[in-house]
């Protein structure tokens, strides 16, 4: 059978990329291939496109830093090479070939401010100017987003604090991260439940949607709300301790953004997308049954 869609994936070995591949495997209409090219190597990307002849590209490649974004503060050139030069290369080449690109970006380019105070429900929409460059990672992501606006072949999906259903072997899951912290801040934030959003990203790709979307669940949730659910549903013996943002800043190299993103644009297309408070309850039920299965 000739597949209707041919998708070339970049960053397929990463956390988000791996999940996208698993979803694509389930769709018989899609043929896909995972590029091993580095984003900064234009000729390699050209070769991949000439060979596979994709109808669309999904870009999950990008430098996020290990163990965390603090890494980017000391590796600025490597960060620019992937997140700015690399992403632009890919989109530019795809534009020359008239190929649509879905690009996973970040919503960590905003910070609560006087016009958008924490707890007010006043959120940042896709048109609001960026107001956060407290980390080099965020700075590069905002820069490249500005430049990508000049291209008409791009769908930019702004993920934030992604949460997956599994904590085992998934250290990048926001829940996996915060249950390991010795002390944790308690701030309401927009977050992305991947179970809900990654299938939407594929639907948006296949439909050829373009432009920028805040790619988070509606509403906000705080660190403590998540940790309390974790304690109630997964590990009754779990305990945690809070500290202030000022105290947190003393142990971090770079700042961390906290914000609420406006999801009206996304909800116009996907009105059934669950609010984060509902979605996280469902997630913990899935996680709980998975953990139970594993413990048998
Ligand atoms: N995880 C989060 O908390 C989060 C939040 C918001 C947005 N995002 C965005 O979502 C995207 C995917 O994140 P992730 O969590 O899946 O990250 P990840 O697990 O670190 O995966 C990133 C992938 O990109 C590849 N990559 C990096 N630089 C590359 C380059 N120059 N050329 C080709 N491949 C390159 C990496 O390959 P190598 O290891 O071989 O370099 C890796 O396979 C990133 O753009 C990230 O900024 C992530």
């Amino acid at each position: 059978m000739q597949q209707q869609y041919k998708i070339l994936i970049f960053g397929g070995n990463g956390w988000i990329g791996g999940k996208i591949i698993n979803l694509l495997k389930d769709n018989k209409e899609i043929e896909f291939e995972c590029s091993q090219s580095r984003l900064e190597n234009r000729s390699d990307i050209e070769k991949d496109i000439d060979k596979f002849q994709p109808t669309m590209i999904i870009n999950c490649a990008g430098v996020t830093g290990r163990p965390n974004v603090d890494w980017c503060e000391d590796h600025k050139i490597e960060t620019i090479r992937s997140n700015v030069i690399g992403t632009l290369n890919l989109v530019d080449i795809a534009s020359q070939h008239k190929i649509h690109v879905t690009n996973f970006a970040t919503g960590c380019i905003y910070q609560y401010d006087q016009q958008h105070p924490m707890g007010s429900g006043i959120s940042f929409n896709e048109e609001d100017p960026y107001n956060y460059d407290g980390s080099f990672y965020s700075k590069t992501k905002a820069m490249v987003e500005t430049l990508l606006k000049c291209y008409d072949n791009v769908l930019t999906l702004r993920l934030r604090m992604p949460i997956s259903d599994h904590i085992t072997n998934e250290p990048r899951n926001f829940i996996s991260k915060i249950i390991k912290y010795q002390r944790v801040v308690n701030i309401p934030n927009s977050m992305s439940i991947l179970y809900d959003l990654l299938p939407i990203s594929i639907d948006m790709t296949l439909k050829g949607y373009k432009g920028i979307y805040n790619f988070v669940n509606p509403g906000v949730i705080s660190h403590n709300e998540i940790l309390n659910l974790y304690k109630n549903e997964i590990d009754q013996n779990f305990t945690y301790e809070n500290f202030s943002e000022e105290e947190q800043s003393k142990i971090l190299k770079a700042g961390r953004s906290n914000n609420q993103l406006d999801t009206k644009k996304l909800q116009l297309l996907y009105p059934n997308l669950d609010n984060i408070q509902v979605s996280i309850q469902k997630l913990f039920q899935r996680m709980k049954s998975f953990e139970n299965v594993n413990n048998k």
Side-chain angles (χ1 to χ4, degrees):
M1 184 179 89
Q2 179 83 35
Q3 273 92 357
Q4 199 179 343
Y5 305 102
K6 292 183 79 176
I7 301 183
L8 187 60
I9 299 154
F10 288 80
N13 298 330
W15 183 49
I16 304 283
K19 290 183 178 297
I20 289 289
I21 287 172
N22 283 338
L23 288 169
L24 293 182
K25 279 181 188 157
D26 293 338
N27 190 325
K28 299 285 170 268
E29 284 183 313
I30 299 172
E31 182 184 352
F32 68 90
E33 206 167 276
C34 202
S35 168
Q36 299 304 325
S37 298
R38 304 307 292 175
L39 293 182
E40 55 272 27
N41 294 341
R42 284 185 76 99
S43 60
D44 288 354
I45 296 174
E46 292 274 11
K47 274 185 215 148
D48 286 342
I49 289 178
D50 287 345
K51 194 164 155 239
F52 184 59
Q53 299 281 318
T55 52
M56 49 259 297
I57 288 172
I58 298 181
N59 182 31
C60 310
V63 160
T64 54
R66 291 287 194 278
N68 57 46
V69 289
D70 283 350
W71 180 92
C72 300
E73 303 297 314
D74 297 323
H75 298 83
K76 290 191 171 137
I77 291 179
E78 293 91 327
T79 307
I80 293 171
R81 193 173 294 134
S82 290
N83 292 359
V84 183
I85 300 171
T87 308
L88 280 176
N89 265 341
L90 180 63
V91 167
D92 185 57
I93 294 167
S95 161
Q96 288 173 329
H97 288 77
K98 304 205 180 333
I99 299 171
H100 180 276
V101 180
T102 296
N103 184 50
F104 282 100
T106 181
C108 288
I109 48 180
Y110 296 106
Q111 178 79 333
Y112 290 125
D113 61 12
Q114 280 190 339
Q115 288 74 44
H116 309 78
M118 182 165 69
S120 66
I122 304 169
S123 47
F124 292 93
N125 68 36
E126 287 82 354
E127 308 302 322
D128 281 323
Y130 320 122
N131 73 346
Y132 182 75
D133 64 358
S135 71
F136 194 71
Y137 168 80
S138 292
K139 201 183 254 190
T140 59
K141 290 287 191 176
M143 276 177 196
V144 80
E145 201 188 271
T146 305
L147 296 171
L148 291 183
K149 284 181 191 167
C150 302
Y151 289 86
D152 66 2
N153 60 324
V154 189
L155 171 66
T156 294
L157 300 177
R158 291 173 171 171
L159 288 170
R160 277 208 85 222
M161 300 177 164
I163 300 179
S164 68
D165 287 7
H166 306 293
I167 38 178
T168 311
N169 298 328
E170 296 213 21
R172 302 183 73 67
N173 180 354
F174 183 70
I175 301 174
S176 310
K177 288 183 185 172
I178 63 172
I179 58 174
K180 295 237 163 58
Y181 291 159
Q182 280 188 339
R183 291 183 297 165
V184 63
V185 292
N186 182 32
I187 304 170
N189 268 289
S190 283
M191 300 190 193
S192 306
I193 305 274
L194 297 180
Y195 179 90
D196 296 335
L197 289 163
L198 292 188
I200 288 181
S201 74
I202 291 171
D203 189 64
M204 293 178 89
T205 302
L206 300 186
K207 288 181 173 145
Y209 289 132
K210 294 168 188 169
I212 298 172
Y213 285 82
N214 289 336
F215 210 54
V216 295
N217 290 71
V220 287
I221 189 158
S222 69
H223 297 69
N224 284 13
E225 284 174 301
I226 293 175
L227 293 172
N228 291 341
L229 276 165
Y230 176 78
K231 184 175 171 64
N232 289 339
E233 303 293 345
I234 309 292
D235 180 1
Q236 271 81 48
N237 297 322
F238 176 76
T239 58
Y240 65 90
E241 207 182 304
N242 286 130
F243 67 161
S244 66
E245 266 189 280
E246 291 71 39
E247 287 172 304
Q248 184 198 39
S249 67
K250 290 182 196 151
I251 61 162
L252 299 176
K253 198 154 210 155
R256 300 291 190 271
S257 100
N258 294 288
N259 68 48
Q260 178 170 1
L261 298 180
D262 187 326
T263 50
K264 282 195 228 47
K265 188 176 174 188
L266 184 63
Q267 285 177 282
L268 271 178
L269 298 178
Y270 300 95
N272 296 328
L273 177 62
D274 276 335
N275 182 282
I276 188 85
Q277 296 285 345
V278 172
S279 182
I280 196 88
Q281 299 275 355
K282 292 182 183 173
L283 179 140
F284 272 108
Q285 293 314 310
R286 291 192 300 272
M287 188 184 279
K288 195 170 159 178
S289 60
F290 176 77
E291 295 290 320
N292 284 343
V293 168
N294 269 359
N295 291 338
K296 272 181 192 161

